[in-house]
Each structure stands twice: as structure tokens, then as C-alpha cells.
Amino acid sequence: MADAGFFKGTSADQDRRFSDKEMKLLKSMKFPPEFDKKVDLKKVNLNVIRPWIAKKVTELVGFEDEVVVEYAMGLLDDPNHTTPDPKKMQINLTGFLTASTPSFMNALWSLLLEAQEHPAGVPQTFVEEKKEEMRKAREGDVRAIGERDRRVRLDEIRDQERGERAGRGRGRGRGRGRGGFEGGGRGRDNGWGGRGGGSISQSTTSSQAFPVSKLSI
């Protein structure tokens, strides 16, 4: 249980078992120049930093590790040390993140430096990422609306074409039927055909045209 306090975020200065080893590591290791800049965590919104740490740890170790996330947050969220030492943080995290620790701490410290300069304590990187996310969302909405309008126009065109075809079909049927020339109706006989139960022969027609009394004279 003696290690529990250290695990929850107690600095190495408060545990002499680590102080000598820590000092040797600090002298032997090289750190980026950004680590020389101080961060006042009272100006940082740690609520937006925690999700980033969780995501980054998952990327580095290959799975969700709440133990490492809680430990890293404990090193930051310490009311007795509102200006943490990034060099000591890197040493303390090396046992968990091994060779990935320097890149993790470099990215984390850069975000903390940005956050303390922002009025809301949010890294400018997060602000820009959110703007880009909103821009892409708006573009997606515009594309969706455009696709919806295109489909509506296509449906209107199809409905119009179906209506026009139906109208042309009704127009072709006019004039056909009884008495027409295109249908199968009975033709007109001018009053001669079909009377008396028979048809008019050619000879009868000729005699009607030239009366017999006229020919005998």
C-alpha cells in the first residue's frame, strides 16, 4: 500500500526511493525545448485533456488502459503541484508507455501550453479540429440536401413523362369504333346495302344507271 500514494500522482520528490534514480535520469536524458516552458494548470480545462489522453494511450498500448489514463491524470490534477514538471512526468510514465513516452509527452505538453493561452483553457488545436469537423458536417448536409432535391426533380420528371404518355394513348383512341375507317365497324351503304335481305349486284346497278326504255328506242 505504500506505493498507492505515489501511483495516484504523488511526485517523486515525496518518495525517496525514486529521487536518486530520477535525478540520474534527468541528467542523462535529453528533452525538447518546450519542456522548459511552464504550464499553469489552473488555466487549463483538464476535462478536454482527459479524452485526448485516453485516446492516445489506446493508440500507443493497443487497448484501453484506464490505469495508465488515471495515473497520467493524477500527475496533472494535483492541487499541490499546479505547475508540473514535464521531464519528471516523462520519467514516471516511461514504465507504462516505454519507447512511446517521449512522443506522448511532447504532444501532451504542447496541448497544455496552448490551453493555458486560451480564454476557455482549451488547446487551439482542439478548436481548429472542431471547426473542421463542423465544416465537413455542413458540407455533408449540403450534399444530402442536394441529393434529396435531385431525386425530387427526377420523380417530378418521371411523373410528367408518364402523364404525357397516358395523354397520347387516349388521343389515339379517338375517331375509332362504329362507323370509323380504322376499326371493324359496319361501313355505310348509302341506303342500298342489306335491304330486302340481299346485296346489290353489278347488273342491277347498271340497269339502274341506264333504264331499259331508253335503250330500246
Side-chain angles (χ1 to χ4, degrees):
M1 296 299 293
D3 291 340
F6 176 78
F7 181 80
K8 291 182 180 180
T10 302
S11 67
D13 291 337
Q14 294 174 304
D15 194 327
R16 293 182 180 179
R17 290 175 300 172
F18 296 93
S19 59
D20 293 340
K21 182 178 179 181
E22 184 181 71
M23 292 303 297
K24 291 179 181 179
L25 287 173
L26 287 173
K27 292 178 179 179
S28 63
M29 296 175 65
K30 293 183 178 181
F31 299 97
E34 288 80 8
F35 283 10
D36 294 330
K37 300 177 182 179
K38 299 294 183 180
V39 170
D40 185 358
L41 291 178
K42 291 184 292 184
K43 300 179 180 180
V44 177
N45 185 351
L46 291 178
N47 291 328
V48 300
I49 299 297
R50 183 188 181 92
W52 181 90
I53 291 178
K55 180 180 178 181
K56 198 68 175 177
V57 167
T58 301
E59 292 176 0
L60 296 176
V61 302
F63 57 90
E64 295 182 3
D65 194 334
E66 283 296 321
V67 172
V68 179
V69 174
E70 290 296 335
Y71 180 61
M73 288 300 301
L75 295 175
L76 293 175
D77 193 12
D78 186 351
N80 297 322
H81 297 82
T82 57
T83 55
D85 187 337
K87 299 175 182 179
K88 292 181 179 181
M89 282 187 65
Q90 179 168 317
I91 293 173
N92 291 333
L93 287 170
T94 299
F96 299 98
L97 302 178
T98 61
S100 300
T101 310
S103 61
F104 172 82
M105 276 304 305
N106 194 13
L108 174 60
W109 203 250
S110 296
L111 292 175
L112 295 176
L113 289 172
E114 291 180 12
Q116 73 174 354
E117 299 298 329
H118 193 277
V122 179
Q124 186 63 30
T125 299
F126 290 2
V127 176
E128 297 301 326
E129 289 176 352
K130 189 63 177 180
K131 289 180 179 179
E132 181 65 13
E133 179 183 337
M134 294 173 64
R135 184 186 66 79
K136 291 181 178 179
R138 285 195 298 268
E139 289 179 354
D141 292 341
V142 170
R143 285 194 297 269
I145 293 173
E147 179 64 17
R148 182 198 62 188
D149 292 344
R150 186 182 69 84
R151 290 179 179 177
V152 170
R153 288 195 295 271
L154 287 175
D155 290 341
E156 291 175 349
I157 292 172
R158 292 191 186 103
D159 292 341
Q160 183 179 356
E161 290 176 348
R162 283 194 290 265
E164 291 175 353
R165 286 196 295 269
R168 287 195 294 270
R170 288 192 296 270
R172 294 193 191 99
R174 295 175 183 174
R176 296 183 179 181
R178 187 174 183 180
F181 294 97
E182 298 180 9
R186 182 172 62 85
R188 298 180 63 183
D189 56 11
N190 296 323
W192 298 100
R195 295 183 182 182
S199 61
I200 302 174
S201 65
Q202 184 176 2
S203 61
T204 303
T205 305
S206 300
S207 62
Q208 288 174 350
F210 302 97
V212 175
S213 58
K214 296 286 185 178
L215 297 172
S216 61
I217 296 175

